[in-house]
Amino acid sequence: MEVAAASGLTDANFSGFIGLQATEALWPALGIYHSFYRTPSWPNVIKCGVTVLSETSGKVTVRTAEYGQDDVVGFRQRARYRGFAYQVEDRIYVIEQNTRSPFSICLLALDASHRFRRSVLTGMMMGSSWRLGGAPYATRVVWRRVSEGLTARDALRQSGPISEDSPLLDDTVLQNLQFEPLTFHELSDRF
């Protein structure tokens, strides 16, 4: 990843992390997910993207794609992110970077799946908002494994900004995403 290389972080740096588990620990989580979250970039809707966790050369890679169209401001978004996932104890940590300028980083901390809930991962995400000029925000996130046999391309057709009454949203998603994201742009004027 470009950011890791530029900062001098290598796989050797990560090998000493306490609790860092081998890639095999993440194998049950590999697959295609719809990722649901709220963002100040798309107010009054829940954003849905598609995230794919896969094993590549001994690492768990993460690819996310999302799109959206805002007719009010005439904005059309097509975004792709690439990164890595690590499991530490019972948490999955994901770091992604978008593939086009202006570049930004997205960080996630998710509960690892367990035998009673293999199809859903929940946690927190921190990213930056295009509507607020790149200001950071934090929000709850839900990853739900897509239906058996659904390809990533098919899942992407179901994604985008969606209203809360969409049949794509179940109680788990709605309960976890009932609160608006916490934004930090208000604080920058005070300091």
Coordinates of all heavy atoms in Angstrom, one line a residue, residues 37-40 107 123-129 135-141 179-184:
Y37 N -23.5 2.5 6.2 CA -23.1 3.5 7.2 C -23.8 4.8 6.9 O -24.4 5.0 5.8 CB -21.6 3.7 7.2 CG -21.0 4.1 5.8 CD1 -20.8 5.5 5.6 CD2 -20.8 3.2 4.8 CE1 -20.3 5.9 4.4 CE2 -20.3 3.7 3.6 CZ -20.1 5.0 3.4 OH -19.6 5.4 2.2
R38 N -23.8 5.8 7.8 CA -24.2 7.1 7.6 C -23.0 8.0 7.4 O -22.0 7.8 8.0 CB -25.1 7.6 8.7 CG -26.4 6.9 8.9 CD -27.2 7.6 10.0 NE -28.4 6.8 10.2 CZ -29.6 7.0 9.6 NH1 -29.6 8.0 8.6 NH2 -30.6 6.4 9.9
T39 N -23.2 9.0 6.5 CA -22.1 10.0 6.3 C -22.6 11.3 6.0 O -23.7 11.5 5.5 CB -21.3 9.5 5.0 OG1 -20.4 10.6 4.6 CG2 -22.1 9.2 3.8
P40 N -21.9 12.4 6.5 CA -22.4 13.7 6.2 C -22.4 14.1 4.7 O -23.0 15.0 4.3 CB -21.4 14.6 7.0 CG -20.3 13.8 7.4 CD -20.7 12.3 7.3
L107 N -10.6 4.2 8.1 CA -10.2 3.2 9.1 C -11.4 2.6 9.7 O -12.4 3.3 10.0 CB -9.4 4.0 10.2 CG -8.2 4.8 9.8 CD1 -7.7 5.7 10.9 CD2 -7.1 3.8 9.4
G123 N -19.3 -2.3 13.7 CA -18.2 -1.6 14.3 C -18.3 -0.1 14.1 O -19.3 0.5 13.8
M124 N -17.1 0.5 14.0 CA -17.0 2.0 13.8 C -16.1 2.2 12.6 O -15.1 1.5 12.4 CB -16.3 2.6 15.1 CG -17.2 2.6 16.3 SD -18.7 3.6 16.1 CE -18.0 5.2 16.0
M125 N -16.3 3.3 12.0 CA -15.5 3.7 10.8 C -15.2 5.2 10.9 O -16.0 6.0 11.4 CB -16.3 3.5 9.5 CG -15.6 4.0 8.3 SD -16.5 3.6 6.7 CE -17.8 4.8 6.8
M126 N -14.0 5.6 10.5 CA -13.6 7.0 10.5 C -13.2 7.3 9.0 O -12.4 6.5 8.4 CB -12.5 7.3 11.4 CG -12.3 8.8 11.5 SD -11.0 9.3 12.6 CE -9.6 9.1 11.5
G127 N -13.7 8.3 8.5 CA -13.4 8.7 7.1 C -13.4 10.2 6.9 O -13.4 10.9 7.9
S128 N -13.5 10.7 5.7 CA -13.6 12.1 5.5 C -14.7 12.4 4.5 O -15.0 11.5 3.6 CB -12.3 12.7 5.0 OG -11.9 12.0 3.8
S129 N -15.4 13.5 4.6 CA -16.6 13.8 3.9 C -16.3 14.8 2.7 O -15.7 15.9 3.0 CB -17.6 14.4 4.8 OG -18.7 15.0 4.1
A135 N -13.5 17.1 5.7 CA -13.5 17.0 7.2 C -13.7 15.6 7.7 O -14.5 14.9 7.1 CB -14.6 18.0 7.8
P136 N -13.0 15.2 8.7 CA -13.2 13.9 9.2 C -14.5 13.7 10.0 O -15.1 14.6 10.5 CB -12.0 13.7 10.2 CG -11.7 15.1 10.6 CD -12.0 16.0 9.5
Y137 N -15.0 12.4 10.0 CA -16.2 12.0 10.7 C -16.0 10.6 11.2 O -15.2 9.8 10.6 CB -17.4 12.2 9.9 CG -17.6 11.2 8.8 CD1 -18.4 10.1 9.0 CD2 -17.0 11.4 7.5 CE1 -18.5 9.1 7.9 CE2 -17.1 10.5 6.5 CZ -17.9 9.3 6.7 OH -18.0 8.4 5.7
A138 N -16.8 10.2 12.2 CA -16.8 8.9 12.7 C -18.3 8.4 12.7 O -19.2 9.2 13.0 CB -16.3 8.8 14.1
T139 N -18.5 7.1 12.4 CA -19.9 6.6 12.3 C -19.9 5.1 12.5 O -18.9 4.5 12.4 CB -20.5 6.9 10.9 OG1 -21.8 6.6 10.9 CG2 -19.7 6.2 9.8
R140 N -21.0 4.6 12.9 CA -21.2 3.2 13.0 C -21.3 2.6 11.6 O -21.7 3.3 10.7 CB -22.5 2.9 13.8 CG -22.7 3.4 15.2 CD -21.9 2.6 16.2 NE -22.1 1.2 16.1 CZ -22.7 0.4 16.9 NH1 -23.3 0.9 18.0 NH2 -22.8 -0.9 16.8
V141 N -20.9 1.3 11.5 CA -20.9 0.6 10.2 C -21.4 -0.8 10.4 O -21.1 -1.4 11.5 CB -19.5 0.7 9.6 CG1 -18.5 -0.1 10.4 CG2 -19.5 0.2 8.2
F179 N -28.1 6.5 14.7 CA -27.5 7.8 15.1 C -26.7 8.4 13.9 O -26.1 7.7 13.1 CB -26.6 7.7 16.3 CG -27.3 7.1 17.5 CD1 -27.0 5.8 17.9 CD2 -28.2 7.9 18.2 CE1 -27.7 5.3 19.0 CE2 -28.9 7.4 19.3 CZ -28.6 6.1 19.7
E180 N -26.8 9.7 13.8 CA -26.0 10.5 12.8 C -24.5 10.4 13.1 O -24.1 10.2 14.2 CB -26.5 11.9 12.7 CG -27.9 12.1 12.2 CD -28.1 11.6 10.8 OE1 -27.2 11.9 9.9 OE2 -29.1 11.0 10.5
P181 N -23.7 10.5 12.0 CA -22.2 10.5 12.3 C -21.8 11.7 13.1 O -22.4 12.7 13.1 CB -21.7 10.5 10.9 CG -22.7 11.1 10.0 CD -24.0 10.8 10.6
L182 N -20.7 11.5 13.8 CA -20.0 12.5 14.6 C -19.0 13.2 13.6 O -18.1 12.6 13.1 CB -19.3 11.9 15.8 CG -18.4 12.9 16.6 CD1 -19.3 13.9 17.2 CD2 -17.7 12.1 17.7
T183 N -19.2 14.5 13.4 CA -18.3 15.2 12.5 C -17.4 16.1 13.4 O -17.7 16.5 14.5 CB -19.1 16.1 11.5 OG1 -19.9 17.0 12.2 CG2 -20.0 15.2 10.6
F184 N -16.3 16.5 12.8 CA -15.2 17.2 13.5 C -15.0 18.6 12.9 O -14.2 19.3 13.4 CB -13.9 16.4 13.6 CG -14.1 15.1 14.3 CD1 -14.3 14.0 13.6 CD2 -14.0 15.1 15.6 CE1 -14.5 12.8 14.2 CE2 -14.2 13.8 16.3 CZ -14.4 12.7 15.6

